[in-house]
Amino acid sequence: MAAPTQSRTTSPPPAVAPSHRPGRWIDDWRPEDPQFWESTGKRVARRNLFFSVFSEHIGFSIWSLWSVLVLFLPEPVFGIDPAGKFLLTTLPTALGAFVRLPYTFAVARFGGRNWTIVSAALLLVPTVATAIVLEPGVSFGTLLLVSCLAGVGGGNFASSMANINAFYPDRLKGWALGLNAGGGNLGVPVVQLIGLLVLATAGAEHPRLILVVYIPLIVAAAVGAALVMDNLTTARNQPRAMREATREPHTWIMSFLYIGTFGSFIGFGFAFGQVLQNQFTDSFATPLAAASLTWLGPLLGSLIRPLGGALADRYGGGRITCANFVAMALGALVVWSASQSESLPLFVVGFVLLFVLSGLGNGSTYKMIPAIFRSQALQRVADGGDAEAADRHALRMSGALIGIAGAVGAFGGVLVNLAFRQSFMTTGTGDSAYLVFIAFYVVCVVVTWFVYLRPQAAHRV
């Protein structure tokens, strides 16, 4: 794993409290300085991390809201067939992927704290709109529109990750980004558990109760960010970083790999309940039966994501990511075999394994991003470049790549849902989709090894 660049100064600057300006802006932020970090930086970073996780968590819940609501739409009442329900979960996935790019820009433009306030408040739009229209007799087009609005929750991830990336030193980025993303990812199983609770108590006729739970949580996220979080000047003034990142080959390589990890996690999270209902109809004839299992995989995948980052910190992101894709290919093979033999226990075990591995890979791939640019920074310093300028460039580029990879990776969730929709429409099972997943994971293994692990690789991370 690449080590941090070293300053040319003979003694570190004195550790003082960060310099604040009105609007909770911090001008002096030196996380790579051990004295500054231990005396003041760690406390400020943890405070911002906590509220970033909370806001992102609520965003993920709203983004994946329709993975639960489709279970409240029985076909005899709403007239929506399985293909239509897959479309209801595909649209918010697509919008969530699309808005991740402008959300990443927003951190540099407005500041991490300021944009967290705005992005949290925006979650009220899909929540309130869904509460208004969700009732028998509503048109399918209206449901498609309000489901699409839920995609704004997917953007919170990109802005949150770009913001936290600026707060932490390189040696802790894997842990911090993994914890931030893992806590956010927990929004998927939590909203599914709330849906399960509503189904088990009030019944399928009361989906609005889920929305009643989340409206005050959204308000709390926005108010908490306003009162506690900070903006970093060092994360601003990056208007050309995204454009520069698009010309960097590693941007598209890492985005491709992130399709395999996060795309799998969010795609499976949106689709799993419907897959169970369509493929094992006798065992999951009621929404309550399907909801009783849908939360398990996303929960384990979310909880293990920080471990993926921590393992990458210790052993290198490339190694963990490559081994993880091998395991994901085997996990998809288990799911395909279970589908062929119609074994429900093996099917569930295989799918839960895929969730766990996708969460582990989420953490390791995101650790690779700052490590790649840190390696480039070290090379610039070795060639006689300025260490401080090299560090600033690494931070700018890693933040931009996090936004791009997050957006492209989220489109993987769209592809997963479309693959399932097409497979069930043509064959009545998900078998064709499982074979596609196996082939894709094998390609990811080859790409990871060739670019980041082979002895001749330019940047071994």
Side-chain angles (χ1 to χ4, degrees):
M1 187 182 73
T5 55
Q6 299 295 320
S7 172
R8 293 181 173 182
T9 58
T10 57
S11 61
V16 295
S19 174
H20 286 269
R21 285 190 288 113
R24 298 190 68 97
W25 283 97
I26 297 178
D27 294 319
D28 179 25
W29 188 253
R30 294 172 275 115
E32 299 296 347
D33 176 356
Q35 189 177 0
F36 174 87
W37 177 254
E38 291 298 327
S39 63
T40 56
K42 181 192 298 184
R43 175 178 52 82
V44 175
R46 285 181 175 176
R47 184 181 70 224
N48 280 271
L49 176 62
F50 176 83
F51 277 89
S52 175
V53 169
F54 179 58
S55 177
E56 185 190 340
H57 175 93
I58 303 301
F60 261 96
S61 291
I62 301 305
W63 190 22
S64 54
L65 181 67
W66 282 86
S67 69
V68 179
L69 292 182
V70 291
L71 302 178
F72 288 80
L73 306 178
E75 188 172 349
V77 177
F78 285 86
I80 304 173
D81 62 12
K85 291 182 180 180
F86 274 116
L87 197 57
L88 284 171
T89 57
T90 300
L91 287 184
T93 313
L95 182 65
F98 178 78
V99 299
R100 285 186 168 195
L101 287 177
Y103 270 54
T104 304
F105 276 119
V107 171
R109 174 65 176 169
F110 303 107
R113 165 191 174 266
N114 295 345
W115 186 249
T116 301
I117 298 169
V118 173
S119 62
L122 284 173
L123 298 175
L124 289 171
V125 176
T127 309
V128 173
T130 302
I132 293 173
V133 306
L134 191 59
E135 59 183 3
V138 63
S139 70
F140 182 56
T142 301
L143 290 180
L144 286 177
L145 176 62
V146 295
S147 72
C148 190
L149 293 175
V152 297
N156 290 30
F157 173 85
S159 55
S160 177
M161 293 292 276
N163 186 41
I164 294 304
N165 180 59
F167 272 97
Y168 276 83
D170 183 70
R171 68 184 185 279
L172 297 177
K173 285 185 188 295
W175 172 83
L177 293 176
L179 186 63
N180 186 58
N185 290 171
L186 278 171
V188 179
V190 167
V191 73
Q192 293 172 345
L193 283 170
I194 291 175
L196 173 62
L197 179 63
V198 172
L199 282 169
T201 55
E205 299 81 17
H206 300 283
R208 286 191 177 93
L209 291 177
I210 302 174
L211 307 171
V212 170
V213 170
Y214 274 97
I215 288 175
L217 292 176
I218 293 170
V219 174
V223 173
L227 296 177
V228 176
M229 291 185 72
D230 302 287
N231 300 303
L232 291 182
T233 305
T234 53
R236 291 205 65 180
N237 302 321
Q238 304 178 44
R240 293 183 295 274
M242 195 75 73
R243 185 182 307 170
E244 186 177 351
T246 61
R247 298 193 292 268
E248 169 62 59
H250 291 289
T251 296
W252 305 111
I253 296 170
M254 291 306 305
S255 296
F256 179 79
L257 297 180
Y258 202 56
I259 288 175
T261 56
F262 181 75
S264 296
F265 174 84
I266 198 65
F268 294 155
F270 275 61
F272 189 37
Q274 296 182 76
V275 171
L276 289 175
Q277 283 193 309
N278 289 321
Q279 190 143 355
F280 296 92
T281 306
D282 293 340
S283 299
F284 298 96
T286 66
L288 181 60
S292 65
L293 272 181
T294 54
W295 58 272
L296 179 60
L299 175 65
L300 296 177
S302 301
L303 291 175
I304 204 170
R305 179 163 184 160
L307 177 60
L311 289 173
D313 281 337
R314 182 168 183 177
Y315 300 107
R319 292 179 182 177
I320 301 301
T321 298
C322 189
N324 193 72
F325 277 127
V326 172
M328 290 186 74
L330 295 175
L333 182 61
V334 169
V335 172
W336 178 80
S337 300
S339 178
Q340 292 286 298
S341 61
E342 298 183 356
S343 170
L344 176 59
L346 186 61
F347 186 85
V348 172
V349 168
F351 238 114
V352 170
L353 179 62
L354 282 176
F355 273 111
V356 171
L357 292 170
S358 65
L360 195 73
N362 285 339
S364 64
T365 50
Y366 254 45
K367 169 58 185 176
M368 292 171 68
I369 293 173
I372 289 168
F373 293 110
R374 183 63 59 189
S375 176
Q376 292 181 352
L378 283 169
Q379 186 60 52
R380 291 187 181 196
V381 173
D383 293 339
D386 179 71
E388 186 177 349
D391 281 340
R392 287 198 304 268
H393 181 266
L395 177 61
R396 291 173 63 248
M397 293 296 289
S398 60
L401 201 161
I402 281 173
I404 294 174
V408 176
F411 273 112
V414 179
L415 299 177
V416 166
N417 277 269
L418 290 177
F420 276 128
R421 183 174 186 268
Q422 187 62 37
S423 184
F424 278 106
M425 286 178 62
T426 55
T427 67
T429 71
D431 292 353
S432 299
Y434 308 138
L435 292 175
V436 171
F437 301 152
I438 293 170
F440 183 80
Y441 298 145
V442 170
V443 173
C444 288
V445 171
V446 174
V447 170
T448 306
W449 177 85
F450 184 83
V451 179
Y452 299 114
L453 292 178
R454 65 189 177 100
Q456 299 84 3
H459 299 287
R460 302 191 72 198
V461 295

